[in-house]
Amino acid sequence: MKRELTCIACPLGCSLTVTLEGKNILSVVGNTCPRGKEYAINECTAPKRMVTTTIRCENGELVSVKTSQPIPKEKVFEAMEIINSTIAKLPLTIGDVIIPDLFGSSVVATQCKE
Amino acid sequence: MTELVIIGGGPAGMSSAISAYENGIRDILILERDDKLGGILRQCIHNGFGLHKFKEELTGPEYAYRYEKKVKELGISVKLNTMVLEITKNKKIIASNSEDGIFEIEAKAIILAMGCRERAKGALNIAGTRPAGIYSAGTAQKLVNMKGYMPGKEVVILGSGDIGLIMARRMTLEGANVKAVCELMPYSSGLARNIEQCLNDFNIPLKLSHTVVALHGKERLTGVTIAKVDENRKPIKESYELISCDTLLLSCGLIPENELTKRIGVEISPVTNGSVVDQNRETVIEGVFSCGNVLHVHDLVDYVSEEAEIAGKGASDYIKGVNNKTVNIPISTDGKIRYTVPQIITEKKDTALYFRTSNPYRNVNINVYANDKLALSRKKQRIAPSEMEILKIDSKILEGVSKIRLELEEL
Ligand code: SF4
């Protein structure tokens, strides 16, 4: 079986063709760099996504956040629910951990807030 | 007298300031109309920034912070909440803020880094009422990401530019139902990766060759009529389809914000809507430079920073009285290549030409003609209007040349 993918690992967006036999990946073509192959393999076995969103702070303002690692794609909406029910304590510096464990990743601030 | 005044404290303004500092200029002032540095990156909380520049993937605020920190470390002066009202030909800047009132600054050199704004065009041609619920994608982005306010629950997006795609995902994550993205053209103007991760991930249909033909609803939008368009971009009657929604986002492209620039008589390119510049990003007015989205709209902020470094260096040389201008070589294009920046070469040195095509192409040669003779040919497998290309030309090509032409050859 062949699967056509668009690599999302960088803005180049290479078109990838993955040849599969059941769950076994036989080949990946179309990638410009090794990250494309890695993406294709992950995408066909355990797709993951970064989540970037905001968290409400104790003073009512928002702080932008991201998952420090990509999380399983099917957990993205669940992750959003947890993030949206969290209140962040201030002050925050870029990289500060707000949620220590979320589906194998953590949630960190991408902005400084006093 | 201030040596260098930079108008705009976004990625272009900050990067050009740092570059000028690194090239020996100390008397630098950045004027920014917002209450913080960072420009549009402040609301671009998604990731994908910095892969070229920092070899890692950053979010907009993180990318901006790296520059903001540097500006502070170097002690470069910044005036926030400051609106520039006018620039004169002899480089006097009239600005205002609540602390200083209206004030004047004389500058030796100016870098224009005002960025761009969203095109509202799509909104004006649509029939029907004007209910609430219609936003530009960038306004919606600011509301959701900075104010924590959701513009609506059921959304249709007109235009498939990157901001529209990013907002489709953003609003879906926050619980909205994004019903469709309509794109007038037969191809998207957004990055392929954004179509994949912002639309396909959530099964949001991308309707190419489609537009919105009517708006419904009195006080609040209740729906839009969409239609397929023919090759002449005229809506096909039989294809009309009503989609109920309470929100319409417009993502119809960006235009450089050049009101200040036009008034001092800088030549504006009708293609880029930005200034005509040389390889140092100097406009036709000596000592006035331009970079970033006010010069031409970029898809990657990394290239904005890179271009701003060039402008910062150019302005520094100008301030120091370095002048290597020995030629005046205009660069023309064939239309398939929409434009290049710079549009003129005034110094015989290795120069990177930034360009975009008018349409997507596969398997092409980009040919550079110097005095009508083929001087350089570069093969490209895939090229698209949404992705800016860079072609480096060697100074040797410029020897004894009076004009350069870029052509796209389909193989
Ligand atoms: S394969 Fe490499 S170059 Fe191509 S999109 Fe993926 S990461 Fe980018």
Side-chain angles (χ1 to χ4, degrees):
Chain A
M1 191 186 78
K2 283 202 194 298
R3 227 182 120 182
E4 303 287 330
L5 297 172
T6 303
C7 180
I8 61 166
C10 96
L12 218 63
C14 299
S15 307
L16 311 176
T17 308
V18 187
T19 312
L20 293 143
E21 203 181 72
K23 286 214 155 155
N24 284 339
I25 290 151
L26 301 180
S27 72
V28 178
V29 291
N31 54 311
T32 309
C33 78
R35 292 178 62 209
K37 187 164 181 185
E38 192 190 320
Y39 171 79
I41 293 169
N42 280 335
E43 196 63 10
C44 294
T45 51
K48 289 194 163 115
R49 293 291 182 270
M50 288 283 291
V51 177
T52 56
T53 179
T54 55
I55 288 186
R56 190 66 69 183
C57 303
E58 51 190 356
N59 68 354
E61 288 181 23
L62 296 179
V63 63
S64 58
V65 298
K66 69 175 182 187
T67 52
S68 58
Q69 309 279 332
I71 62 165
K73 192 176 161 189
E74 77 274 7
K75 298 291 183 198
V76 165
F77 281 99
E78 237 176 285
M80 280 300 294
E81 262 176 48
I82 296 169
I83 291 170
N84 278 344
S85 58
T86 305
I87 305 261
K89 290 211 165 60
L90 295 174
L92 285 169
T93 313
I94 286 196
D96 280 359
V97 175
I98 300 174
I99 303 175
D101 186 24
L102 187 73
F103 303 116
S105 166
S106 60
V107 175
V108 299
T110 57
Q111 212 177 19
C112 300
K113 273 260 140 141
E114 291 181 2
Chain B
M1 171 78 91
T2 303
E3 282 194 325
L4 176 59
V5 175
I6 296 165
I7 303 174
M14 291 193 288
S15 170
S16 66
I18 295 165
S19 157
Y21 188 97
E22 283 167 353
N23 282 289
I25 305 301
R26 292 293 173 269
D27 187 12
I28 307 170
L29 173 64
I30 301 176
L31 301 175
E32 166 58 44
R33 72 176 166 195
D34 218 335
D35 61 356
K36 277 202 179 89
L37 290 173
I40 201 66
L41 286 176
R42 295 178 62 206
Q43 67 184 61
C44 299
I45 63 163
H46 55 280
N47 61 337
F49 304 93
L51 270 166
H52 284 268
K53 244 8 283 154
F54 300 112
K55 303 283 172 264
E56 57 180 309
E57 204 166 5
L58 302 170
T59 63
E62 290 172 309
Y63 189 96
Y65 183 66
R66 299 211 168 179
Y67 286 88
E68 190 188 342
K69 212 169 126 217
K70 193 93 192 260
V71 165
K72 284 193 182 140
E73 276 166 15
L74 298 177
I76 294 169
S77 311
V78 178
K79 271 186 191 292
L80 297 171
N81 299 306
T82 301
M83 188 77 193
V84 173
L85 306 171
E86 208 180 319
I87 314 168
T88 68
K89 265 201 173 79
N90 39 16
K91 298 191 265 297
K92 204 157 55 184
I93 292 155
I94 302 160
S96 86
N97 64 32
S98 55
E99 236 169 73
D100 308 302
I102 294 184
F103 59 98
E104 273 184 23
I105 310 164
E106 269 182 73
K108 222 174 187 176
I110 296 174
I111 297 179
L112 306 167
M114 293 90 81
C116 59
R117 64 158 171 264
E118 294 180 279
R119 202 187 289 269
K121 193 179 111 209
L124 304 171
N125 308 329
I126 306 172
T129 50
R130 287 292 178 266
I134 301 163
Y135 299 86
S136 73
T139 304
Q141 189 179 44
K142 188 166 184 178
L143 288 173
V144 178
N145 293 348
M146 294 180 73
K147 310 262 184 241
Y149 168 77
M150 276 288 277
K153 294 196 180 83
E154 304 215 292
V155 187
V156 170
I157 299 175
L158 174 59
S160 64
D162 285 311
I163 314 172
L165 299 176
I166 294 285
M167 281 316 290
R169 173 176 66 181
R170 185 73 188 112
M171 294 200 55
T172 305
L173 285 179
E174 292 292 356
N177 174 10
V178 179
K179 294 187 155 177
V181 175
C182 295
E183 170 59 56
L184 183 67
M185 304 303 284
Y187 54 86
S188 167
S189 54
L191 295 173
R193 76 184 310 221
N194 284 338
I195 294 172
E196 185 66 21
Q197 62 184 353
C198 299
L199 302 187
N200 298 350
D201 268 9
F202 305 102
N203 300 315
I204 300 168
L206 171 60
K207 290 175 171 291
L208 297 173
S209 301
H210 272 76
T211 190
V212 172
V213 288
L215 305 171
H216 310 285
K218 246 193 164 149
E219 252 130 60
R220 178 80 197 196
L221 190 70
T222 56
V224 296
T225 301
I226 68 163
K228 199 170 169 32
V229 297
D230 62 20
E231 330 52 274
N232 303 316
R233 294 187 223 162
K234 288 270 169 296
I236 302 166
K237 267 258 147 59
E238 297 71 40
S239 70
Y240 280 26
E241 182 191 339
L242 178 74
I243 303 182
S244 72
C245 61
D246 58 21
T247 305
L248 174 68
L249 300 189
L250 304 168
S251 175
C252 304
L254 302 164
I255 13 174
E257 204 154 357
N258 268 309
E259 280 62 31
L260 288 171
T261 322
K262 281 178 196 158
R263 269 185 269 155
I264 49 171
V266 163
E267 187 187 351
I268 301 284
S269 152
V271 186
T272 59
N273 287 307
S275 312
V276 171
V277 291
D278 71 7
Q279 68 291 328
N280 301 331
R281 306 302 183 266
E282 188 171 12
T283 68
V284 291
I285 298 186
E286 266 189 24
V288 177
F289 296 76
S290 175
C291 58
N293 281 348
V294 78
L295 181 57
H296 57 133
V297 176
H298 295 63
D299 35 81
L300 294 182
V301 70
D302 302 66
Y303 292 150
V304 167
S305 301
E306 205 170 281
E307 180 174 83
E309 283 165 23
I310 299 172
K313 164 93 169 50
S316 310
D317 283 348
Y318 174 83
I319 293 164
K320 291 186 271 187
V322 179
N323 187 346
N324 297 319
K325 289 183 202 164
T326 51
V327 287
N328 194 342
I329 308 171
I331 304 167
S332 63
T333 59
D334 62 353
K336 288 180 183 169
I337 294 175
R338 249 181 85 221
Y339 71 82
T340 65
V341 166
Q343 294 94 340
I344 328 161
I345 291 179
T346 57
E347 275 179 30
K348 270 190 254 166
K349 63 175 183 187
D350 295 354
T351 302
L353 299 180
Y354 293 62
F355 68 93
R356 267 181 212 280
T357 58
S358 312
N359 286 296
Y361 294 98
R362 276 183 181 278
N363 296 319
V364 295
N365 272 340
I366 305 298
N367 296 333
V368 180
Y369 292 88
N371 281 356
D372 302 319
K373 251 184 51 208
L374 186 63
L376 178 70
S377 184
R378 182 75 23 93
K379 233 194 189 83
K380 277 265 160 198
Q381 268 181 1
R382 203 175 62 96
I383 205 160
S386 56
E387 285 157 41
M388 199 164 69
E389 298 286 336
I390 300 176
L391 187 72
K392 296 206 163 99
I393 59 171
D394 198 289
S395 61
K396 278 183 234 131
I397 289 178
L398 304 172
E399 216 47 67
V401 160
S402 63
K403 59 179 183 185
I404 296 271
R405 185 168 172 79
L406 245 69
E407 289 185 11
L408 183 144
E409 179 192 359
E410 292 177 74
L411 300 173

